[in-house]
């Protein structure tokens, strides 16, 4: 039986083939099956292509590879291309270093609601713990067990509550958290029509706040954030961040300030490029 796709998972990646492979396996054991996965590939080289060639025949879900050449950090551009490649009306965004728990898509589908975007959570891991996770641990879901993670280097922290399997506890923590429901690039979702309305991601922006700025335009458009940081969970694998650029951070901060203060809804530098667009 051919499943009708209900949701598109957009996974951004750039030259992290070892982590990316673990993420793809995480989607192979999802409880919710009616999805397509779109790889938003910001210039990865041969190693990532080899992972895709090796794994694709073994994966249970349809996969699209959207790629452009490496010309520095251009995540916003490749995300916009991936949005256009999506064939469903609901989109989940995450990163190629975030392993989803097996109910990740199920939770996004359960809580999706017209007029809202969803703000999910992740548990960040150390490099040592990240390296300890193998295919067997993903398939068995051992790597989402707090005891297993502690045995492999994770420290005690209130953040460990993000790994709860209790629906009631997750509901309570989502309700009580003082953390604002923002658009988080590693775990967020929204309706395609809302994303198109704000013209996608602002392609002027490099690393640092580019996801938040997108979410701020959604809010300006009347789309509210809904907190599910303790319900839809992924493990964030550690990695170096050589792409951090102080000049770009200052530029991004100025764009975000304008978005918030001037109540911009639609960027002129997104999916459709037009200097005459009405903000």
């Amino acid at each position: 039986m051919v499943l009708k796709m209900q949701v598109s998972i957009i996974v951004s990646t750039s030259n992290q083939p070892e982590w990316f492979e673990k993420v793809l396996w995480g989607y192979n054991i999802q409880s919710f099956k009616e999805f397509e996965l779109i790889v938003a590939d910001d210039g990865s080289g041969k190693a990532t292509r080899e992972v895709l060639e090796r794994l694709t025949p073994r994966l249970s879900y349809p996969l699209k590879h959207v790629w452009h050449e490496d010309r520095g950090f251009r995540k916003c551009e490749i995300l916009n291309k991936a949005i256009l490649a999506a064939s469903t009306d609901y989109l989940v965004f995450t990163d190629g270093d975030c392993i989803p728990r097996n109910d990740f898509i199920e939770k996004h589908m359960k809580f999706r609601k017209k007029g809202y975007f969803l703000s999910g959570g992740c548990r960040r891991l150390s490099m040592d713990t990240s390296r300890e996770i193998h295919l067997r641990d993903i398939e068995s879901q051992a790597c989402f067990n707090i005891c297993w993670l502690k045995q492999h280097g994770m420290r005690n922290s209130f953040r460990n509550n993000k790994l709860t399997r209790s629906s009631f506890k997750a509901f309570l923590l989502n309700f009580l958290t003082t953390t604002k429901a923002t658009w988080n690039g590693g775990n967020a979702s929204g309706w395609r029509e809302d994303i198109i309305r704000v013209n996608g991601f602002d392609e002027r922006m490099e690393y640092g706040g580019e996801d938040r700025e997108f979410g701020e335009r959604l809010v300006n458009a009347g789309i509210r954030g809904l907190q599910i940081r303790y319900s839809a969970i992924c493990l964030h694998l550690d990695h170096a961040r050589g792409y951090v650029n102080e000049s770009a951070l200052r530029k991004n901060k100025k764009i975000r300030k304008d978005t918030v203060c001037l109540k911009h809804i639609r960027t002129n530098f997104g999916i459709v490029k037009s200097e005459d667009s009405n903000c």
Side-chain angles (χ1 to χ4, degrees), residues 79-256:
L79 286 176
N80 284 340
K81 293 172 183 175
I83 290 166
L84 293 177
S87 63
T88 72
D89 62 2
Y90 199 75
L91 312 181
V92 177
F93 291 77
T94 183
D95 291 329
D97 51 19
C98 294
I99 303 175
R101 198 168 65 186
N102 62 357
D103 61 351
F104 178 79
I105 302 177
E106 178 187 335
K107 296 299 186 183
H108 275 277
M109 296 301 285
K110 176 181 178 180
F111 291 107
R112 64 178 180 166
K113 185 177 180 181
K114 286 290 187 179
Y116 290 83
F117 68 83
L118 300 181
S119 177
C122 67
R123 180 62 174 97
R124 294 182 180 273
L125 304 180
S126 68
M127 180 62 76
D128 288 342
T129 305
S130 299
R131 287 173 174 155
E132 289 293 329
I133 298 175
H134 302 286
L135 173 58
R136 63 180 179 274
D137 307 311
I138 298 169
E139 291 183 330
S140 69
Q141 292 290 277
C143 59
F144 287 92
N145 181 282
I146 293 176
C147 292
W148 186 95
L149 286 164
K150 286 182 178 180
Q151 290 171 4
H152 293 84
M154 188 178 77
R155 298 180 179 179
N156 286 321
S157 169
F158 181 82
R159 297 185 182 92
N160 294 351
N161 284 302
K162 290 181 179 179
L163 298 169
T164 181
R165 285 276 186 176
S166 166
S167 296
F168 176 74
K169 183 178 180 181
F171 167 81
L172 193 62
L173 290 170
N174 287 330
F175 178 76
L176 293 175
T177 183
T178 57
T179 302
K180 188 177 179 181
T182 56
W183 186 276
N184 306 318
N187 190 347
S189 64
W191 297 92
R192 191 177 190 274
E193 63 182 346
D194 296 332
I195 292 165
I196 295 296
R197 180 183 174 193
V198 301
N199 204 21
F201 293 83
D202 191 314
E203 295 181 7
R204 294 174 297 171
M205 300 190 75
E206 298 176 51
Y207 174 79
E210 71 281 358
D211 300 307
R212 296 293 179 88
E213 191 276 339
F214 169 71
E216 286 157 355
R217 280 187 283 112
L218 285 173
V219 171
N220 291 343
I223 309 302
R224 299 170 62 186
L226 186 63
Q227 188 67 268
I228 60 166
R229 65 191 276 110
Y230 293 95
S231 300
I233 300 303
C234 53
L235 297 175
H236 189 288
L237 306 175
D238 195 22
H239 58 86
R241 291 169 176 79
Y243 42 74
V244 175
N245 181 306
E246 290 299 326
S247 175
L249 290 174
R250 289 192 296 271
K251 180 183 72 173
N252 287 5
K253 186 176 180 179
K254 172 63 166 58
I255 294 171
R256 284 188 67 189

